[in-house]
Amino acid sequence: MISIINYNAGNLTSVKRALDYLGIKNKITTDKNEIENAERIIFPGVGHAATALKILRERGLDSALLTAFNNDIPIMGICLGTQIILSHSDESNTDCLNIISGNCSRFNLRDKSLSIPHMGWNAISITKKHYILKDVKDADEFYFVHSFYPVPEDKNNIYARCEYEIEFAAAIGRKNLFATQFHPEKSGEAGLQILKNFSEWEPDKC
C-alpha cells in the first residue's frame, strides 16, 4: 500500500489514477499516523511552497514525513514534493523540510522566448544509477510543469538532469528518498515504469 500525502496541493488524483492503472494499492490520506506507519509514501503536489508548508505544519504532516524518513520508509517526491524536501525555497523565501540540503531556485532565463513555467515534455540525462530509474533510458522524455528547480548542495544527490537553457536537477535522492521534478504520473510508459519501480524499491537492498 502506498500512502499519498494530501496537503491540499494539486495533482493527487492523477497520481492515484496512475497507481490504480498499474494495479498498485494506494490511498490518499491526511492522517499523520498513517503516514508515520506507511509501507511506502508518495509526496506529490503542484502549488505554492509557503502555502504547502503552512498546511503541512498545521496538519502535523511535516513531522510525520520526517518520522517516516527517519524510519527508512521508502518515499517518493514529485514536483512541489521534490522542491520542499530541500532546506529552502526562493518562492516567498520559505524555509522547507531540510531532508536534502539545498535550495529551490527560480528560473532566470536570458532567452525571453522560453516561457516560465517550463511546461511540457523534455528529455532527461541519467547521471547516476538508481533502482527507480531501472529500464528508463537516457534521453527518455518526461512531462514538466515548474518555475523553480532543485539545487542540492551535494551533487551526489543528483540522479538525473534536464536542460532548459540551463541544466538543472530533474531527479534527486538520499537514502530512502527519491524525488523527481517531472511528473511520472503524466509521462506515459517511462513515467509508469518509474512508479512501478518505486512500488518494488527496497532501499536497503539496492
Side-chain angles (χ1 to χ4, degrees), residues 100-162:
I100 293 179
S101 296
N103 189 61
C104 184
S105 300
R106 191 180 193 282
F107 281 115
N108 183 17
L109 305 178
R110 295 184 303 275
D111 185 349
K112 301 309 177 186
S113 70
L114 295 175
S115 63
I116 300 174
H118 169 216
M119 182 182 298
W121 294 84
N122 206 340
I124 67 166
S125 172
I126 297 171
T127 57
K128 197 174 174 186
K129 287 185 178 179
H130 195 286
Y131 185 87
I132 292 178
L133 296 173
K134 181 171 69 80
D135 296 327
V136 175
K137 298 186 292 296
D138 214 33
D140 273 351
E141 292 196 344
F142 293 86
Y143 190 78
F144 291 82
V145 184
H146 62 121
S147 300
F148 295 78
Y149 59 93
V151 186
E153 284 183 8
D154 185 350
K155 303 310 177 191
N156 286 321
N157 290 329
I158 299 175
Y159 287 86
R161 294 182 177 273
C162 183

Coordinates of all heavy atoms in Angstrom, one line a residue, residues 100-162:
I100 N 16.9 17.0 2.3 CA 18.1 17.1 1.5 C 18.5 18.5 1.5 O 17.8 19.4 1.3 CB 17.8 16.6 0.0 CG1 17.5 15.1 -0.1 CG2 19.0 17.0 -0.9 CD1 17.2 14.6 -1.5
S101 N 19.8 18.7 1.9 CA 20.3 20.1 2.0 C 20.4 20.7 0.6 O 20.9 20.1 -0.3 CB 21.7 20.1 2.6 OG 21.7 19.6 3.9
G102 N 19.9 21.9 0.5 CA 19.9 22.6 -0.8 C 18.8 23.7 -0.9 O 18.0 23.9 0.0
N103 N 18.8 24.3 -2.0 CA 17.8 25.4 -2.3 C 17.0 25.1 -3.5 O 17.3 24.3 -4.4 CB 18.6 26.7 -2.6 CG 17.7 27.9 -2.6 OD1 17.0 28.2 -1.6 ND2 17.7 28.6 -3.8
C104 N 15.7 25.6 -3.5 CA 14.9 25.6 -4.6 C 14.9 26.9 -5.3 O 14.5 27.9 -4.7 CB 13.5 25.2 -4.2 SG 12.3 25.0 -5.6
S105 N 15.5 27.0 -6.5 CA 15.8 28.3 -7.2 C 14.8 28.5 -8.3 O 14.3 27.6 -8.9 CB 17.2 28.3 -7.7 OG 18.1 28.1 -6.7
R106 N 14.6 29.8 -8.6 CA 13.7 30.2 -9.7 C 14.4 30.3 -11.0 O 15.6 30.7 -11.0 CB 13.0 31.5 -9.4 CG 11.8 31.8 -10.3 CD 11.2 33.1 -10.0 NE 9.9 33.3 -10.7 CZ 9.8 33.6 -12.0 NH1 10.8 33.8 -12.8 NH2 8.6 33.7 -12.6
F107 N 13.8 29.8 -12.1 CA 14.4 30.0 -13.4 C 14.6 31.5 -13.7 O 13.7 32.3 -13.4 CB 13.5 29.5 -14.5 CG 13.6 28.0 -14.7 CD1 12.5 27.2 -14.4 CD2 14.8 27.4 -15.1 CE1 12.6 25.8 -14.6 CE2 14.8 26.0 -15.3 CZ 13.7 25.2 -15.0
N108 N 15.8 31.9 -14.1 CA 16.1 33.3 -14.5 C 16.8 33.2 -15.9 O 18.0 33.1 -16.0 CB 16.9 34.0 -13.5 CG 17.2 35.4 -13.8 OD1 16.5 36.0 -14.7 ND2 18.2 36.0 -13.2
L109 N 16.0 33.1 -16.9 CA 16.5 32.8 -18.3 C 16.8 34.0 -19.1 O 16.1 35.0 -19.1 CB 15.4 31.9 -19.0 CG 15.0 30.6 -18.3 CD1 13.9 29.9 -19.1 CD2 16.1 29.7 -18.0
R110 N 17.9 33.9 -19.8 CA 18.3 35.0 -20.7 C 17.4 35.0 -22.0 O 17.0 36.1 -22.5 CB 19.7 34.9 -21.1 CG 20.7 35.0 -20.0 CD 22.2 35.0 -20.5 NE 22.4 33.8 -21.2 CZ 22.8 32.6 -20.7 NH1 22.9 32.5 -19.4 NH2 23.1 31.5 -21.4
D111 N 17.1 33.8 -22.5 CA 16.3 33.7 -23.7 C 14.8 34.0 -23.3 O 14.1 33.1 -22.8 CB 16.5 32.3 -24.3 CG 15.8 32.1 -25.6 OD1 15.0 33.0 -26.0 OD2 16.0 31.1 -26.3
K112 N 14.3 35.1 -23.7 CA 12.9 35.5 -23.3 C 11.9 34.8 -24.2 O 10.7 35.0 -23.9 CB 12.8 37.0 -23.4 CG 13.7 37.8 -22.5 CD 13.7 37.3 -21.1 CE 14.7 38.0 -20.2 NZ 14.7 37.5 -18.8
S113 N 12.3 34.1 -25.2 CA 11.4 33.3 -26.0 C 11.0 32.0 -25.2 O 10.0 31.4 -25.6 CB 12.0 32.9 -27.3 OG 13.0 32.0 -27.2
L114 N 11.8 31.7 -24.2 CA 11.4 30.5 -23.4 C 10.5 30.9 -22.3 O 10.7 31.8 -21.5 CB 12.7 29.9 -22.8 CG 13.7 29.3 -23.7 CD1 15.0 28.9 -23.0 CD2 13.1 28.2 -24.5
S115 N 9.4 30.2 -22.2 CA 8.4 30.5 -21.2 C 8.7 30.0 -19.8 O 9.4 29.0 -19.6 CB 7.0 30.0 -21.6 OG 7.0 28.6 -21.6
I116 N 8.2 30.7 -18.8 CA 8.2 30.3 -17.4 C 6.8 30.3 -16.9 O 6.2 31.4 -17.0 CB 9.1 31.2 -16.5 CG1 10.6 31.1 -17.1 CG2 9.1 30.7 -15.1 CD1 11.5 32.1 -16.3
P117 N 6.2 29.2 -16.5 CA 6.9 28.0 -16.1 C 7.4 27.2 -17.4 O 6.9 27.3 -18.5 CB 5.9 27.1 -15.4 CG 4.6 27.7 -15.9 CD 4.8 29.1 -16.2
H118 N 8.4 26.3 -17.1 CA 8.9 25.3 -18.0 C 7.8 24.3 -18.0 O 7.5 23.6 -17.1 CB 10.2 24.7 -17.5 CG 10.6 23.5 -18.2 ND1 11.3 22.5 -17.5 CD2 10.6 23.1 -19.5 CE1 11.6 21.5 -18.4 NE2 11.2 21.9 -19.6
M119 N 7.1 24.2 -19.2 CA 5.9 23.3 -19.3 C 6.0 22.5 -20.5 O 6.2 23.0 -21.6 CB 4.7 24.2 -19.3 CG 3.4 23.4 -19.3 SD 1.9 24.4 -19.4 CE 2.0 25.3 -17.8
G120 N 5.8 21.2 -20.3 CA 5.8 20.3 -21.5 C 6.8 19.1 -21.3 O 7.4 18.9 -20.3
W121 N 7.0 18.5 -22.5 CA 7.9 17.3 -22.5 C 9.4 17.7 -22.7 O 9.7 18.6 -23.5 CB 7.5 16.4 -23.6 CG 6.2 15.8 -23.4 CD1 5.0 16.3 -23.7 CD2 5.9 14.5 -22.8 NE1 3.9 15.5 -23.3 CE2 4.5 14.4 -22.8 CE3 6.7 13.5 -22.3 CZ2 3.8 13.2 -22.3 CZ3 6.0 12.3 -21.8 CH2 4.6 12.2 -21.8
N122 N 10.3 17.0 -21.9 CA 11.7 17.3 -22.1 C 12.5 16.1 -21.7 O 12.0 15.3 -20.9 CB 12.1 18.5 -21.2 CG 13.3 19.2 -21.7 OD1 14.1 18.7 -22.5 ND2 13.5 20.4 -21.3
A123 N 13.6 15.9 -22.4 CA 14.4 14.7 -22.1 C 15.3 14.9 -20.9 O 15.7 16.0 -20.6 CB 15.3 14.5 -23.4
I124 N 15.5 13.8 -20.2 CA 16.4 13.7 -19.1 C 17.7 13.0 -19.4 O 17.7 12.2 -20.4 CB 15.8 13.1 -17.8 CG1 15.5 11.6 -18.0 CG2 14.5 13.8 -17.4 CD1 15.2 10.8 -16.8
S125 N 18.7 13.4 -18.7 CA 20.0 12.7 -18.8 C 20.3 12.0 -17.5 O 20.4 12.7 -16.4 CB 21.1 13.7 -19.2 OG 22.4 13.1 -19.1
I126 N 20.4 10.7 -17.5 CA 20.7 10.0 -16.2 C 22.2 10.1 -15.9 O 23.0 9.8 -16.7 CB 20.3 8.5 -16.4 CG1 18.7 8.4 -16.6 CG2 20.6 7.7 -15.1 CD1 18.2 7.1 -17.0
T127 N 22.4 10.6 -14.7 CA 23.8 10.9 -14.3 C 24.3 9.8 -13.3 O 25.5 9.8 -13.1 CB 23.9 12.3 -13.7 OG1 23.0 12.4 -12.6 CG2 23.6 13.4 -14.7
K128 N 23.4 9.1 -12.7 CA 23.8 8.1 -11.7 C 22.7 7.0 -11.6 O 21.5 7.3 -11.7 CB 23.9 8.9 -10.4 CG 24.6 8.2 -9.3 CD 24.7 9.1 -8.1 CE 25.3 8.4 -6.9 NZ 25.3 9.3 -5.7
K129 N 23.2 5.8 -11.5 CA 22.2 4.7 -11.4 C 21.4 4.7 -10.2 O 21.9 5.1 -9.1 CB 23.0 3.3 -11.5 CG 23.6 3.0 -12.9 CD 24.2 1.6 -12.9 CE 24.7 1.3 -14.3 NZ 25.4 0.0 -14.4
H130 N 20.1 4.3 -10.3 CA 19.2 4.1 -9.2 C 18.2 3.1 -9.6 O 17.7 3.0 -10.7 CB 18.6 5.4 -8.8 CG 17.9 5.4 -7.5 ND1 16.7 4.8 -7.2 CD2 18.3 6.0 -6.3 CE1 16.4 5.0 -5.9 NE2 17.4 5.7 -5.4
Y131 N 17.7 2.3 -8.6 CA 16.7 1.3 -8.9 C 15.5 1.9 -9.5 O 14.8 1.3 -10.4 CB 16.3 0.5 -7.6 CG 15.4 -0.7 -7.9 CD1 15.9 -1.9 -8.3 CD2 14.0 -0.5 -7.8 CE1 15.0 -3.0 -8.5 CE2 13.2 -1.5 -8.1 CZ 13.7 -2.8 -8.5 OH 12.8 -3.8 -8.8
I132 N 15.1 3.0 -9.1 CA 13.8 3.7 -9.6 C 14.0 4.1 -11.0 O 13.0 4.3 -11.7 CB 13.4 4.8 -8.6 CG1 13.0 4.2 -7.3 CG2 12.3 5.6 -9.2 CD1 12.6 5.2 -6.3
L133 N 15.2 4.2 -11.5 CA 15.4 4.5 -12.9 C 15.7 3.3 -13.8 O 16.0 3.4 -14.9 CB 16.6 5.5 -13.0 CG 16.4 6.9 -12.4 CD1 17.7 7.7 -12.4 CD2 15.2 7.6 -13.1
K134 N 15.5 2.1 -13.2 CA 15.6 0.8 -13.9 C 14.7 0.8 -15.1 O 13.5 1.1 -15.0 CB 15.3 -0.4 -13.0 CG 15.5 -1.7 -13.6 CD 15.4 -2.8 -12.6 CE 14.0 -2.9 -12.0 NZ 13.1 -3.7 -12.9
D135 N 15.3 0.4 -16.3 CA 14.5 0.3 -17.5 C 14.1 1.7 -18.1 O 13.3 1.8 -19.0 CB 13.3 -0.6 -17.4 CG 13.8 -2.0 -17.1 OD1 14.8 -2.4 -17.6 OD2 13.0 -2.8 -16.4
V136 N 14.6 2.8 -17.5 CA 14.4 4.1 -18.1 C 15.7 4.4 -18.8 O 16.8 4.3 -18.4 CB 14.2 5.2 -17.0 CG1 14.1 6.6 -17.5 CG2 12.9 4.8 -16.2
K137 N 15.5 4.9 -20.1 CA 16.6 5.2 -20.9 C 17.1 6.6 -20.9 O 16.3 7.5 -20.7 CB 16.3 4.8 -22.4 CG 16.0 3.3 -22.5 CD 15.8 2.9 -24.0 CE 14.6 3.6 -24.6 NZ 13.3 3.1 -24.0
D138 N 18.4 6.8 -21.0 CA 18.9 8.1 -21.2 C 18.2 8.8 -22.4 O 18.0 8.2 -23.4 CB 20.4 8.1 -21.4 CG 21.2 9.2 -20.8 OD1 20.8 9.7 -19.8 OD2 22.2 9.6 -21.4
A139 N 17.8 10.0 -22.2 CA 17.0 10.8 -23.2 C 15.6 10.5 -23.3 O 14.9 11.0 -24.2 CB 17.7 10.7 -24.6
D140 N 15.0 9.6 -22.4 CA 13.6 9.4 -22.3 C 13.0 10.8 -22.0 O 13.6 11.5 -21.2 CB 13.2 8.4 -21.3 CG 13.2 7.0 -21.9 OD1 13.3 6.8 -23.1 OD2 13.0 6.0 -21.1
E141 N 11.8 11.1 -22.5 CA 11.2 12.3 -22.2 C 10.1 12.2 -21.1 O 9.4 11.2 -21.0 CB 10.5 12.9 -23.5 CG 11.6 13.3 -24.5 CD 11.0 14.2 -25.6 OE1 9.8 14.3 -25.7 OE2 11.8 14.9 -26.3
F142 N 10.0 13.2 -20.3 CA 9.0 13.3 -19.2 C 8.3 14.7 -19.2 O 8.8 15.6 -19.8 CB 9.7 13.1 -17.8 CG 10.3 11.7 -17.7 CD1 11.6 11.4 -18.2 CD2 9.5 10.7 -17.1 CE1 12.0 10.1 -18.1 CE2 10.0 9.4 -17.0 CZ 11.3 9.1 -17.5
Y143 N 7.2 14.7 -18.5 CA 6.4 15.9 -18.5 C 6.7 16.8 -17.3 O 6.7 16.4 -16.2 CB 4.9 15.6 -18.5 CG 4.0 16.7 -18.8 CD1 3.8 17.3 -20.0 CD2 3.4 17.4 -17.7 CE1 3.0 18.4 -20.3 CE2 2.6 18.5 -17.9 CZ 2.4 19.0 -19.2 OH 1.6 20.1 -19.4
F144 N 7.0 18.1 -17.6 CA 7.4 19.1 -16.6 C 6.4 20.2 -16.5 O 5.9 20.6 -17.6 CB 8.8 19.7 -16.9 CG 9.9 18.8 -16.8 CD1 10.3 17.9 -17.8 CD2 10.7 18.8 -15.6 CE1 11.4 17.1 -17.7 CE2 11.8 18.0 -15.5 CZ 12.2 17.1 -16.5
V145 N 6.1 20.7 -15.3 CA 5.4 22.0 -15.1 C 6.0 22.6 -13.9 O 5.7 22.3 -12.8 CB 3.9 21.8 -14.9 CG1 3.2 23.2 -14.8 CG2 3.3 21.0 -16.0
H146 N 6.9 23.6 -14.1 CA 7.5 24.2 -12.9 C 8.3 25.5 -13.2 O 8.8 25.7 -14.3 CB 8.5 23.3 -12.2 CG 9.7 22.9 -13.1 ND1 11.0 23.1 -12.8 CD2 9.7 22.3 -14.3 CE1 11.8 22.6 -13.7 NE2 11.0 22.1 -14.7
S147 N 8.3 26.4 -12.3 CA 9.0 27.7 -12.4 C 10.3 27.7 -11.5 O 11.1 28.6 -11.7 CB 8.1 28.8 -12.0 OG 7.0 28.9 -12.8
F148 N 10.4 26.7 -10.6 CA 11.5 26.6 -9.7 C 12.1 25.2 -9.9 O 11.4 24.3 -10.3 CB 11.0 26.8 -8.2 CG 10.5 28.1 -7.9 CD1 9.3 28.5 -8.3 CD2 11.3 29.1 -7.3 CE1 8.8 29.8 -8.0 CE2 10.8 30.3 -7.0 CZ 9.6 30.7 -7.4
Y149 N 13.3 25.0 -9.5 CA 14.0 23.8 -9.7 C 15.0 23.5 -8.5 O 15.5 24.4 -7.9 CB 14.8 23.7 -11.0 CG 15.9 24.8 -11.1 CD1 17.2 24.6 -10.7 CD2 15.5 26.1 -11.6 CE1 18.1 25.6 -10.8 CE2 16.5 27.1 -11.7 CZ 17.8 26.8 -11.3 OH 18.7 27.8 -11.4
P150 N 15.2 22.2 -8.2 CA 16.0 21.9 -7.0 C 17.5 22.0 -7.3 O 18.0 21.7 -8.4 CB 15.7 20.4 -6.8 CG 15.2 19.9 -8.1 CD 14.6 21.0 -8.8
V151 N 18.2 22.5 -6.3 CA 19.7 22.7 -6.3 C 20.3 22.1 -5.1 O 20.5 22.8 -4.1 CB 20.1 24.2 -6.5 CG1 21.6 24.3 -6.7 CG2 19.4 24.9 -7.6
P152 N 20.5 20.8 -5.0 CA 21.1 20.1 -3.8 C 22.5 20.6 -3.6 O 23.3 20.8 -4.6 CB 21.1 18.6 -4.2 CG 20.1 18.5 -5.3 CD 20.2 19.8 -6.1
E153 N 22.9 20.8 -2.3 CA 24.3 21.1 -2.0 C 25.2 20.1 -2.4 O 26.3 20.3 -3.0 CB 24.4 21.4 -0.5 CG 23.8 22.7 0.0 CD 24.0 22.9 1.4 OE1 24.7 22.2 2.1 OE2 23.4 23.9 2.0
D154 N 24.9 18.8 -2.2 CA 25.7 17.7 -2.5 C 25.3 17.1 -3.9 O 24.2 16.6 -4.1 CB 25.6 16.6 -1.5 CG 26.6 15.4 -1.7 OD1 27.2 15.4 -2.8 OD2 26.7 14.6 -0.8
K155 N 26.2 17.3 -4.9 CA 25.9 16.9 -6.3 C 25.7 15.4 -6.4 O 25.1 14.9 -7.3 CB 26.9 17.4 -7.2 CG 27.1 18.9 -7.2 CD 25.8 19.7 -7.4 CE 26.0 21.2 -7.3 NZ 24.8 21.9 -7.1
N156 N 26.2 14.6 -5.4 CA 26.0 13.2 -5.3 C 24.5 12.8 -5.1 O 24.1 11.7 -5.3 CB 26.8 12.5 -4.3 CG 28.3 12.5 -4.6 OD1 28.6 12.2 -5.8 ND2 29.2 12.7 -3.7
N157 N 23.7 13.8 -4.7 CA 22.3 13.5 -4.6 C 21.5 13.7 -5.9 O 20.3 13.5 -5.9 CB 21.7 14.5 -3.5 CG 22.2 14.2 -2.1 OD1 22.4 13.0 -1.8 ND2 22.3 15.2 -1.3
I158 N 22.2 14.0 -7.0 CA 21.5 14.2 -8.3 C 21.6 12.9 -9.1 O 22.7 12.4 -9.3 CB 22.2 15.4 -9.0 CG1 22.0 16.7 -8.3 CG2 21.5 15.5 -10.4 CD1 22.7 17.9 -8.9
Y159 N 20.5 12.4 -9.6 CA 20.4 11.2 -10.3 C 20.1 11.4 -11.8 O 20.4 10.6 -12.6 CB 19.4 10.2 -9.7 CG 20.0 9.6 -8.4 CD1 19.8 10.3 -7.2 CD2 20.7 8.4 -8.4 CE1 20.3 9.7 -6.0 CE2 21.2 7.9 -7.3 CZ 21.1 8.6 -6.1 OH 21.6 8.1 -4.9
A160 N 19.5 12.5 -12.1 CA 19.2 12.9 -13.5 C 19.1 14.4 -13.6 O 18.8 15.1 -12.7 CB 17.9 12.2 -13.9
R161 N 19.4 14.8 -14.8 CA 19.4 16.3 -15.1 C 18.5 16.5 -16.4 O 18.2 15.6 -17.1 CB 20.8 16.8 -15.4 CG 21.7 16.7 -14.1 CD 23.1 17.3 -14.4 NE 24.0 17.4 -13.3 CZ 24.0 18.3 -12.4 NH1 23.2 19.4 -12.5 NH2 24.9 18.3 -11.4
C162 N 18.2 17.8 -16.5 CA 17.4 18.2 -17.7 C 17.9 19.6 -18.1 O 18.6 20.3 -17.3 CB 15.9 18.2 -17.4 SG 14.9 18.7 -18.7

